[in-house]
Amino acid sequence: MSRIGKNPVAVPQGVEVAVDGNTVRVKGKLGALERTLPSDVNVTLNDGQIVVQPANDDRRALSMWGLSRTLVANMVQGVSVGFTVKLEINGVGYRAAVDGKLLTLQLGFSHDIKYAVPADIDIKAEKPTALAISGIDKQRVGQIAAEIRSFRGPEPYKGKGVKYEGEVIVRKEGKKK
């Protein structure tokens, strides 16, 4: 029995859910999402709750059970509340600026890094050293944050680079004479 999969997903007020076979469509105040789940699970809508059950008792169906329930829960949360990932930029002269749909990063290279912001993602430079990436699709928000972080990940000696908010950088001691 999946500890995650057995819990139904509650549908909050203002969110519309349509289940057609294994395709789940969720529509809320922030937008709409659609996902086709694996054929190893059955999805039903009962009394304002989405219930995911395994189609049979084989290993793959039981593996997909908890995953599918989590994907549906993330869709419901995304269209009602949304997801936000915050990045911090550490380093002398390191900064970020957003101009419309273009993110400009100065990360110590000889050139600025220009990143085109996708249409479904919203990036705000709260400070020159803090970015907030938000959207309705959790996977997409996390992927964009990881791409921006990969331009200059945090290094272990001084901690310079782009890191997630709250991420702990394990520091190393420098060389000694």
Side-chain angles (χ1 to χ4, degrees), residues 1-8 52-54 61-70:
M1 165 104 4
S2 170
R3 286 186 238 170
I4 295 173
K6 68 182 178 185
N7 299 323
V52 180
Q53 293 293 327
L62 294 176
S63 298
M64 293 294 122
W65 184 14
L67 170 73
S68 300
R69 188 259 180 213
T70 301

Coordinates of all heavy atoms in Angstrom, one line a residue, residues 1-8 52-54 61-70:
M1 N 0.8 -1.2 0.0 CA 0.0 0.0 0.0 C 0.9 1.2 0.0 O 1.8 1.4 0.8 CB -0.9 0.0 1.2 CG -1.6 1.2 1.6 SD -3.3 1.5 1.2 CE -4.0 0.2 0.6
S2 N 0.6 2.1 -0.9 CA 1.4 3.4 -1.0 C 0.9 4.4 0.0 O -0.3 4.6 0.1 CB 1.2 4.0 -2.4 OG 1.7 5.3 -2.5
R3 N 1.8 4.9 0.8 CA 1.4 5.8 1.9 C 0.9 7.2 1.3 O 0.1 7.9 1.8 CB 2.5 6.0 2.8 CG 2.7 4.9 3.8 CD 3.7 5.2 4.8 NE 4.8 4.2 4.7 CZ 5.9 4.2 5.3 NH1 6.2 5.3 6.0 NH2 6.8 3.3 5.2
I4 N 1.5 7.5 0.1 CA 1.1 8.8 -0.5 C -0.1 8.5 -1.4 O -1.0 9.3 -1.4 CB 2.3 9.3 -1.4 CG1 3.5 9.7 -0.4 CG2 1.9 10.5 -2.2 CD1 4.7 10.1 -1.2
G5 N -0.1 7.5 -2.2 CA -1.1 7.2 -3.2 C -2.5 7.0 -2.6 O -3.5 7.3 -3.2
K6 N -2.6 6.5 -1.3 CA -3.9 6.2 -0.8 C -4.6 7.4 -0.3 O -5.8 7.4 -0.2 CB -3.7 5.2 0.4 CG -3.0 5.8 1.6 CD -2.9 4.8 2.7 CE -2.1 5.4 3.9 NZ -1.9 4.4 4.9
N7 N -4.0 8.5 -0.2 CA -4.6 9.8 0.2 C -5.3 10.4 -1.0 O -4.6 10.7 -2.0 CB -3.6 10.8 0.8 CG -3.0 10.2 2.1 OD1 -3.6 9.5 2.9 ND2 -1.7 10.5 2.3
P8 N -6.6 10.8 -0.9 CA -7.2 11.5 -2.0 C -6.7 13.0 -2.1 O -6.3 13.5 -1.1 CB -8.7 11.5 -1.7 CG -8.7 11.3 -0.2 CD -7.5 10.5 0.2
V52 N -6.7 8.3 -6.8 CA -5.9 7.6 -7.7 C -5.7 6.2 -7.1 O -5.4 6.0 -6.0 CB -4.5 8.3 -7.9 CG1 -3.6 7.5 -8.8 CG2 -4.7 9.7 -8.4
Q53 N -6.0 5.1 -8.0 CA -5.8 3.7 -7.6 C -5.0 3.0 -8.6 O -5.0 3.3 -9.8 CB -7.2 3.1 -7.5 CG -8.1 3.6 -6.4 CD -7.6 3.3 -5.0 OE1 -6.9 2.2 -4.8 NE2 -7.8 4.2 -4.0
P54 N -4.2 2.0 -8.1 CA -3.5 1.2 -9.1 C -4.5 0.3 -9.9 O -5.5 -0.2 -9.4 CB -2.6 0.3 -8.2 CG -3.2 0.3 -6.9 CD -4.0 1.6 -6.8
A61 N 2.6 -0.8 -11.5 CA 1.4 -0.1 -11.1 C 1.5 0.5 -9.7 O 1.1 1.6 -9.5 CB 0.2 -1.1 -11.2
L62 N 2.1 -0.3 -8.8 CA 2.3 0.2 -7.5 C 3.3 1.3 -7.4 O 3.2 2.2 -6.6 CB 2.7 -1.0 -6.5 CG 1.6 -2.1 -6.4 CD1 2.2 -3.2 -5.5 CD2 0.4 -1.5 -5.7
S63 N 4.3 1.3 -8.3 CA 5.3 2.3 -8.4 C 4.6 3.6 -8.9 O 5.0 4.7 -8.5 CB 6.4 1.9 -9.3 OG 7.1 0.8 -8.8
M64 N 3.8 3.5 -9.9 CA 3.2 4.7 -10.5 C 2.0 5.3 -9.7 O 1.6 6.4 -9.9 CB 2.6 4.3 -11.9 CG 3.6 3.9 -12.9 SD 4.6 5.4 -13.4 CE 6.2 4.8 -13.0
W65 N 1.5 4.5 -8.7 CA 0.4 5.0 -7.9 C 0.8 6.3 -7.1 O 0.1 7.3 -7.2 CB 0.1 3.9 -6.9 CG -1.1 4.1 -6.1 CD1 -2.1 5.0 -6.2 CD2 -1.5 3.3 -4.9 NE1 -3.0 4.9 -5.2 CE2 -2.7 3.8 -4.4 CE3 -1.0 2.2 -4.3 CZ2 -3.3 3.3 -3.3 CZ3 -1.6 1.7 -3.2 CH2 -2.8 2.2 -2.7
G66 N 1.8 6.2 -6.3 CA 2.2 7.4 -5.5 C 2.6 8.6 -6.4 O 2.3 9.7 -6.2
L67 N 3.4 8.3 -7.5 CA 3.8 9.3 -8.4 C 2.7 10.0 -9.1 O 2.6 11.2 -9.1 CB 4.7 8.7 -9.5 CG 5.0 9.6 -10.7 CD1 6.1 10.6 -10.3 CD2 5.6 8.8 -11.9
S68 N 1.7 9.3 -9.5 CA 0.5 9.9 -10.2 C -0.3 10.7 -9.3 O -0.7 11.8 -9.6 CB -0.4 8.8 -10.8 OG 0.4 8.0 -11.7
R69 N -0.4 10.3 -8.0 CA -1.2 11.1 -7.0 C -0.4 12.4 -6.8 O -1.0 13.5 -6.7 CB -1.3 10.3 -5.7 CG -2.2 10.9 -4.7 CD -1.4 11.6 -3.7 NE -2.3 12.3 -2.7 CZ -2.0 13.4 -2.1 NH1 -0.8 14.0 -2.4 NH2 -2.7 13.9 -1.2
T70 N 0.9 12.3 -6.7 CA 1.7 13.6 -6.4 C 1.6 14.5 -7.6 O 1.5 15.7 -7.4 CB 3.1 13.2 -6.1 OG1 3.2 12.3 -5.0 CG2 4.0 14.4 -5.8

